[in-house]
Amino acid sequence: ARSGDVLHVWPRPKRWSPAGAGTARVQRLKGSAGLFRQIGGCCHEFLSHAFARYDEVLNLPSEGRDGMQPQLLQHLRVRVPGLRNNTIGPDLLVCDASTEAFILLRSLDVRVRAWYPTPLQLHVDESYSLDLSESGGMLVAATEWGALRGLETFSQLIHRDAQVGLFVCGLPLHIEDAPSHPWRGFLLDTARHFYPLPDLLQMLDAMAAMKLNTLHWHLVDSSAFPFGSEKLPQLHTRGALHPSLVYSMQDMRTVVKAAWHRGIRVVPELDVPAHAASWAGGEPEAVIACPQRVASDGEGLEHGIDKVALNPLKERTYEVVEALLEEMASLFPDEYLHLGGDEVDGDCWLEEPTIAEWAEHRGPAWKEELTALFSLRVLRKARSLGKRPILWDEALDMVAYLPTDDRSHITVDVWRDWLGIELRTGQRVERWQLAQRAGYPVVWSSLTWYLDMPENKWASIYSVPMPSKQLGRQRFLGGEASSWSESADPTNLQPRTLTRLAAAAERLWSGPPSDMQAARDRLASFRCRLVRRGFQAEPVIPDHCVGLPSHSSFRNADQLRSCLAAAEVGTAALIQAEIFGSCTNWYVVSILSLLVNFVFAAVLCYGRRA
């Protein structure tokens, strides 16, 4: 897992000792439940769930199964004349899988220093240490959440060979690790396109592999209202694109529970007062439709509806918003709740006569004043529910109207980082600095980390300057990479996001970027590991990743040709080729298809004779 001074783990650990030349075969004891064993601390049931998940990730062989060798999974790189004469992946350059002098690593002992469960929240201790040597493996963590991060690191140190099985090299190895930032997030927009529950759960697995700990769930927006409210069902029955494209209460609880098992907080967003077109069918009294303003948008109606907003002068608006906030507070246990507040369009509001009259009696900053009037009431409701509210950085435009007593309770999510200001001295003050100077904690959701923008390549995401940590962990919380879904749905979500999301994940966990060539090699290796785990991550460099067989039946013609060829020599060849399950599924479908055609022909012939 090590070449030169590079440890092929993503994200990069904080510190590690020089690795040795030892190699250990990883093989659990015969009859044992798995490779992992807890030897102290709290949370046995929680960690048992994690152990089972990583046993499945590693697909561990046990003693007595030596005749069934695992599929060869490897990372192959292109040859470069005069510089690289083999195709061995960078993570295996110092590994010797052919040696006869293997030691056996039969267990990874896990000890949690805490004796009681630690709530999953911001600033939780995720540190751990990992020791691998000829005497065995030991993972020590302050909390169960640190243990999860250490298990992921251990899983990335394991290699697979067709003859040897699973092995780890570079022993002895000592790693000490902890995150650089407490807020390491991924925003997923489920309103512009709907993602079925299995897609959401698989993204949680990918996030855990990157040591991300925050899912910012942008639940509703102009295009659709997929939040399955029980208090206000008319919102999703008339606001979702279809009754089947709704997240029920149980669906959302499932996401929260699965995220918790992976050390991921779920922060929901109710984006108000703008982006409210999908509310209009169920709650027309609360919404200003402004059709003239929408129709004037040069990018089409689908973009123009983002200007549709709630009516801050209607009491029904607050009844609806507060009912939804109560439901969200009961569903999502995290202390943070995102209230949106971005892209309020004053011209839309002015199409409502009562607002136009109200604005006449205010000054030129009437829009900011009206937005603040709405926001203050919604903020109070969120605080009464025990939540710490988050607003997009448009909050800075109405800062004069927001409370000044304790601004640390409102977090500003900075996305418009191009809106810094130039001082007379020539010094530039960035948007996040304006938030910090106003006394707000900051989450950084820079446009340079927007995953829906193709120009944001992984290298630029990885190397972009981040806000200074001199603010302290209480002021600069961390950041997020955002996947807005105007042009993404389940068909392209993973290829579009995963590799570039990993680039942001390392900056949030590890801090400053490493050498770019080293990062490129490590990211290419990590991308291959994602592919082996069943994810569809886009390549980093010209290479080849041998992945696991698809869980679905025949996604391409190559599998079909393999089955047809294997069928000529019998079932044994199918097993040897490790495509037995897929081929069997295809044969069953083929036989059923023939039977259906036979019955149809028989009925047709009988009908003609009659």
Side-chain angles (χ1 to χ4, degrees):
R2 192 173 183 273
S3 62
D5 292 326
V6 177
L7 190 70
H8 281 269
V9 171
W10 195 279
R12 184 180 75 254
K14 191 174 183 179
R15 286 185 296 272
W16 64 90
S17 65
T23 303
R25 185 176 181 182
V26 180
Q27 189 176 68
R28 66 175 179 236
L29 290 169
K30 186 175 182 180
S32 66
L35 175 67
F36 307 101
R37 180 177 63 177
Q38 185 176 359
I39 62 171
C42 74
C43 317
H44 177 76
E45 182 178 353
F46 174 84
L47 288 176
S48 295
H49 188 281
F51 295 164
R53 191 167 66 251
Y54 277 100
D55 271 337
E56 185 176 350
V57 166
L58 296 174
N59 190 24
L60 285 168
S62 60
E63 284 188 345
R65 294 180 59 197
D66 291 340
M68 297 179 64
Q69 298 295 347
Q71 183 184 11
L72 177 63
L73 299 177
Q74 57 184 326
H75 178 198
L76 304 177
R77 296 196 299 176
V78 299
R79 297 178 179 88
V80 182
L83 296 174
R84 185 192 301 151
N85 297 321
N86 58 56
T87 61
I88 299 174
D91 53 341
L92 287 174
L93 286 177
V94 298
C95 292
D96 184 6
S98 62
T99 180
E100 298 295 331
F102 277 110
I103 60 173
L104 289 181
L105 182 68
R106 296 189 181 277
S107 69
L108 177 70
D109 294 335
V110 178
R111 180 166 65 87
V112 176
R113 289 197 294 268
W115 288 102
Y116 299 98
T118 303
L120 178 61
Q121 58 189 6
L122 195 68
H123 299 296
V124 71
D125 192 337
E126 298 174 87
S127 64
Y128 68 91
S129 65
L130 179 63
D131 285 280
L132 301 176
S133 67
E134 296 181 359
S135 60
M138 172 68 76
L139 169 62
V140 179
T143 67
E144 61 269 41
W145 313 112
L148 285 184
R149 308 310 176 207
L151 289 172
E152 176 57 40
T153 294
F154 176 78
S155 74
Q156 293 187 29
L157 294 169
I158 302 299
H159 302 285
R160 188 187 300 264
D161 181 82
Q163 301 302 318
V164 174
L166 301 180
F167 65 96
V168 57
C169 61
L171 305 183
L173 177 64
H174 173 74
I175 296 174
E176 294 180 8
D177 202 8
S180 180
H181 299 94
W183 190 298
R184 308 183 305 280
F186 170 57
L187 179 149
L188 182 60
D189 166 19
T190 59
R192 272 69 176 233
H193 281 98
F194 183 86
Y195 298 94
L197 189 59
D199 293 88
L200 297 183
L201 299 180
Q202 195 172 24
M203 285 303 295
L204 292 175
D205 280 331
M207 290 176 65
M210 303 173 192
K211 298 186 175 73
L212 293 171
N213 70 346
T214 307
L215 173 63
H216 176 172
W217 193 351
H218 189 84
L219 265 164
V220 300
D221 209 291
S222 307
S223 302
F225 198 101
F227 178 81
S229 172
E230 292 181 349
K231 290 186 176 183
L232 301 166
Q234 68 273 18
L235 282 172
H236 64 262
T237 55
R238 298 181 182 179
L241 292 179
H242 187 270
S244 65
L245 305 179
V246 174
Y247 299 110
S248 68
M249 292 288 176
Q250 185 55 48
D251 289 337
M252 290 181 278
R253 291 188 187 99
T254 298
V255 171
V256 169
K257 184 176 181 180
W260 178 78
H261 273 293
R262 289 153 180 80
I264 297 171
R265 306 157 44 241
V266 182
V267 177
E269 180 183 352
L270 186 69
D271 193 2
V272 288
H275 295 262
S278 63
W279 303 45
E283 288 290 342
E285 184 182 349
V287 177
I288 298 173
C290 59
Q292 295 180 7
R293 180 67 174 135
V294 172
S296 68
D297 191 292
E299 296 185 45
L301 296 180
E302 286 77 13
H303 185 267
I305 58 172
D306 285 349
K307 297 173 173 60
V308 175
L310 300 177
N311 190 337
L313 300 183
K314 288 282 188 178
E315 185 60 26
R316 179 58 182 168
T317 298
Y318 299 101
E319 294 173 357
V320 171
V321 171
E322 290 177 2
L324 292 173
L325 291 180
E326 289 171 0
E327 286 189 302
M328 285 188 167
S330 67
L331 277 171
F332 299 97
D334 194 77
E335 61 179 328
Y336 285 87
L337 196 157
H338 208 301
L339 298 174
D342 62 317
E343 298 183 321
V344 175
D345 188 90
D347 291 337
C348 176
W349 268 346
L350 289 176
E351 288 192 30
E352 168 59 38
T354 58
I355 290 183
E357 181 181 357
W358 185 92
E360 285 182 3
H361 299 86
R362 266 70 183 177
W366 69 266
K367 187 185 79 169
E368 288 74 21
E369 185 178 350
L370 185 57
T371 305
L373 182 148
F374 172 86
S375 298
L376 284 171
R377 183 158 174 182
V378 176
L379 288 169
R380 283 196 297 269
K381 179 62 178 180
R383 292 288 300 277
S384 73
L385 295 169
K387 297 297 184 180
R388 299 175 68 96
I390 310 173
L391 294 171
W392 291 111
D393 67 51
E394 280 85 347
L396 300 178
D397 301 331
M398 57 179 179
V399 68
Y401 304 100
L402 294 178
T404 59
D405 53 345
D406 189 2
R407 289 179 175 174
S408 64
H409 286 286
I410 301 174
T411 297
V412 172
D413 195 350
V414 176
W415 70 281
R416 299 182 302 168
D417 49 356
W418 68 90
L419 290 180
I421 60 174
E422 297 288 341
L423 301 180
R424 291 181 179 178
T425 60
Q427 180 185 7
R428 178 178 173 83
V429 180
E430 302 294 345
R431 191 76 171 168
W432 61 267
Q433 291 174 311
L434 294 174
Q436 179 264 328
R437 291 183 179 187
Y440 298 110
V442 172
V443 171
W444 194 63
S445 298
S446 169
L447 200 72
T448 58
W449 278 9
Y450 271 28
L451 304 177
D452 53 304
M453 300 178 68
E455 60 268 30
N456 290 339
K457 308 296 185 183
W458 80 264
S460 63
I461 289 173
Y462 186 73
S463 59
V464 66
M466 288 180 62
S468 171
K469 285 183 62 179
Q470 294 177 355
L471 298 180
R473 290 166 63 91
Q474 301 298 327
R475 284 292 184 87
F476 180 62
L477 303 180
E480 298 178 344
S482 304
S483 181
W484 300 102
S485 294
E486 286 90 345
S487 59
D489 67 5
T491 65
N492 68 340
L493 174 64
Q494 290 187 18
R496 193 181 78 157
T497 62
L498 291 183
T499 301
R500 294 181 297 153
L501 178 60
E506 173 150 310
R507 292 299 308 279
L508 292 168
W509 178 274
S510 309
S514 67
D515 172 77
M516 188 58 73
Q517 182 57 52
R520 184 179 291 107
D521 284 344
R522 287 189 301 106
L523 183 56
S525 298
F526 178 70
R527 179 257 172 177
C528 275
R529 291 190 178 277
L530 291 179
V531 171
R532 294 166 196 167
R533 295 187 189 188
F535 298 105
Q536 296 177 336
E538 67 180 2
V540 178
I541 57 175
D543 61 358
H544 180 69
C545 296
V546 183
L548 289 170
S550 171
H551 293 294
S552 63
S553 297
F554 302 109
R555 294 188 176 182
N556 55 59
D558 289 337
Q559 283 182 295
L560 179 58
R561 286 193 291 270
S562 298
C563 284
L564 292 173
E568 297 179 0
V569 292
T571 304
L574 296 179
I575 297 175
Q576 186 176 4
E578 295 183 332
I579 56 175
F580 178 74
S582 297
C583 292
T584 302
N585 292 339
W586 177 71
Y587 293 144
V588 169
V589 171
S590 299
I591 293 172
L592 288 175
S593 178
L594 289 173
L595 288 174
V596 169
N597 289 335
F598 176 79
V599 171
F600 178 78
V603 170
L604 185 63
C605 290
Y606 179 80
R608 287 179 177 177
R609 289 180 180 178

